[in-house]
Amino acid sequence: MVAPRRSAASKTPLAGARVLIVEARYYEDLADELLAGAVAAVEAAGATAEVVTVPGALEIPATIAILLDAGAATGRPWDAAVALGCVIRGETGHYDIVAGESSRALMDLAVQRRLPLGNGILTVENDEQAWARARVSDMNKGGGAAEAALAVLRVKRAGQAG
């Protein structure tokens, strides 16, 4: 069996990279934990994070798109983006709309704009699941979303250099 190849870019520091983090604050305590994980991952890579807050998960994709355009217009483009939030299933179908539409819009942004984007919007059944995924000492999905965006940024930069 042949071992999988790993890109030399997988550990490349990202000094100077600008990472946009857009977080939904609907669940304040969970948002704080997701953000802590994401910022730690960005800083560990040597990149710089800027955080923008919106009320809920549905506002995240449009905010990212608006800020991507603003960054390009001012000559300070974003290198990557991270979406953070939480959608907990309730008694109505609103959960399905918010979870599905926010994820679809984020994927559209990433593909259409060739944007390294980490989706850290939790979609869970209850508070217990949300905390297990958000807690930095547990699943650290905020950190994981940032690491995913940074991994794609490394691939993008390696592709542009080669």
Side-chain angles (χ1 to χ4, degrees), residues 5 27 29 69 159:
R5 291 179 39 179
Y27 298 102
D29 292 343
D69 290 345

Side-chain angles (χ1 to χ4, degrees), residues 53-130:
T53 299
V54 296
L58 280 177
E59 291 78 37
I60 293 172
T63 302
I64 291 173
I66 289 164
L67 294 173
L68 288 174
D69 290 345
T74 60
R76 299 200 63 217
W78 298 100
D79 296 296
V82 179
L84 300 176
C86 183
V87 184
I88 300 176
R89 186 179 299 280
E91 296 176 6
T92 69
H94 187 65
Y95 167 90
D96 296 312
I97 293 167
V98 174
E101 291 301 313
S102 61
S103 290
R104 181 205 48 81
L106 290 173
M107 184 58 69
D108 288 349
L109 269 174
V111 173
Q112 290 169 2
R113 301 215 185 189
R114 309 302 190 260
L115 174 69
L117 191 149
N119 184 350
I121 300 176
L122 306 179
T123 53
V124 297
E125 300 293 323
N126 53 49
D127 287 343
E128 183 180 330
Q129 289 178 356

Side-chain angles (χ1 to χ4, degrees), residues 4-87:
R5 291 179 39 179
R6 297 191 66 124
S7 169
S10 65
K11 304 272 186 199
T12 305
L14 293 167
R18 296 181 68 228
V19 179
L20 172 63
I21 299 175
V22 178
E23 60 155 357
R25 300 292 301 173
Y26 192 82
Y27 298 102
E28 293 278 334
D29 292 343
L30 288 166
D32 288 341
E33 195 72 7
L34 288 167
L35 183 60
V39 169
V42 169
E43 290 176 351
T48 302
E50 183 172 328
V51 180
V52 174
T53 299
V54 296
L58 280 177
E59 291 78 37
I60 293 172
T63 302
I64 291 173
I66 289 164
L67 294 173
L68 288 174
D69 290 345
T74 60
R76 299 200 63 217
W78 298 100
D79 296 296
V82 179
L84 300 176
C86 183
V87 184

